[in-house]
Amino acid sequence: MDIALVRAPNPSPYTLDGTNTWIVGRDPAWVVDPGPALGAHVSAVAAAVRERGGAGGIALTHDHPDHAEGAGALRDALGGPPMRWPGATDRLADGDGFGPLRALHVPGHAEDHLVFVAGDGAFTGDAVLGEGSVFIAPGGGSLAAYLDGLRRLRALGLARLYPGHGPVIEDPAAKLDEYVAHRLEREQRVHAAWAAGARSDDELLAAAWDGIPAGLRLPATWTLHAHLDKLRAEGRL
């Protein structure tokens, strides 16, 4: 499919180089993740959509501000095309279609997080990043459900993944295998640390994480607790 990227100027430890807004197709074009409410970014996305014949609709993978905050302004700028997101009244759910996009539920980073499949590609939001791994947020759904979602995505045999942050993923199978293996290896380390007597967050993080980048200790702690919840649910602690 004819896909364009407009990257928002909001770099941070959480957003890497910035939030990726994807524009899919032409006559009409479809927007995935409008991004933050930054005037220059909203204007750039609107201009790119107009160049492609106008908007068929706007889709959001989830409602975190770095992906969704600019949605209202973009919709106004484009004349009010339909907009769908997991938390909307007319929400998209697993298997629903919206223009060329088909929703796949992949919770974990957010409870109602969706991935949008189009042709042989998928727009993964914060379920899969172009670089690094995602954190499992409180109330985002279980780590087990996240792993199941990654495996469902892997089974589709896609050619490319278009993440919410970072570069395009040209080998989805390898990336998804890496993501699942990373989580299971981290789980083993958490379990081993617990078995050795570690109980505090500090002890478990030190044992199971090789290093935590500056500013990311809180999401690492959230992810630690997602691992502990999974191990408890499986009767392994």
Side-chain angles (χ1 to χ4, degrees):
M1 301 184 70
D2 188 353
I3 297 168
L5 166 64
V6 181
R7 179 169 289 145
N10 63 332
S12 76
Y14 288 86
T15 61
L16 305 180
D17 292 335
T19 300
N20 293 336
T21 296
W22 298 102
I23 304 171
V24 186
R26 295 177 181 269
D27 302 314
W30 298 77
V31 178
V32 177
D33 284 350
L38 301 174
H41 178 66
V42 171
S43 295
V45 174
V49 171
R50 293 189 195 102
E51 289 174 1
R52 289 169 168 255
I58 301 170
L60 283 70
T61 58
H62 61 302
D63 64 359
H64 290 175
D66 58 315
H67 292 257
E69 193 178 50
L74 180 63
R75 188 182 191 187
D76 291 344
L78 293 174
M83 186 162 63
R84 299 288 185 271
W85 68 97
T89 302
D90 48 354
R91 67 182 62 193
L92 291 172
D94 191 75
D96 287 346
F98 185 48
L101 309 172
R102 178 169 58 87
L104 180 72
H105 185 215
V106 184
H109 183 77
E111 184 176 14
D112 51 7
H113 192 293
L114 298 176
V115 168
F116 293 111
V117 179
D120 62 357
F123 302 90
T124 58
D126 282 346
V128 183
L129 304 182
E131 296 174 350
S133 61
V134 304
F135 65 84
I136 308 303
S142 72
L143 179 57
Y146 175 61
L147 292 173
D148 287 345
L150 293 180
R151 293 182 180 113
R152 290 179 65 202
L153 193 57
R154 171 70 165 82
L156 296 178
L158 299 168
R160 285 185 182 84
L161 301 180
Y162 302 90
H165 307 281
V168 173
I169 297 164
E170 301 287 353
D171 189 345
K175 174 63 76 170
L176 292 165
D177 287 345
E178 172 194 326
Y179 257 47
V180 172
H182 168 71
R183 293 296 177 185
L184 295 179
E185 188 268 342
R186 176 68 49 72
E187 177 180 283
Q188 291 173 353
R189 294 174 68 174
V190 170
H191 186 255
W194 184 278
R199 292 294 183 271
S200 72
D201 289 349
D202 287 345
E203 291 171 335
L204 291 164
L205 287 169
W209 270 253
D210 292 327
I212 300 173
L216 294 181
R217 189 170 184 82
L218 179 59
T221 303
W222 293 338
T223 302
L224 166 65
H225 284 273
H227 280 284
L228 293 173
D229 288 345
K230 179 176 181 293
L231 290 167
R232 288 191 186 97
E234 295 169 352
R236 296 170 61 193
L237 294 187

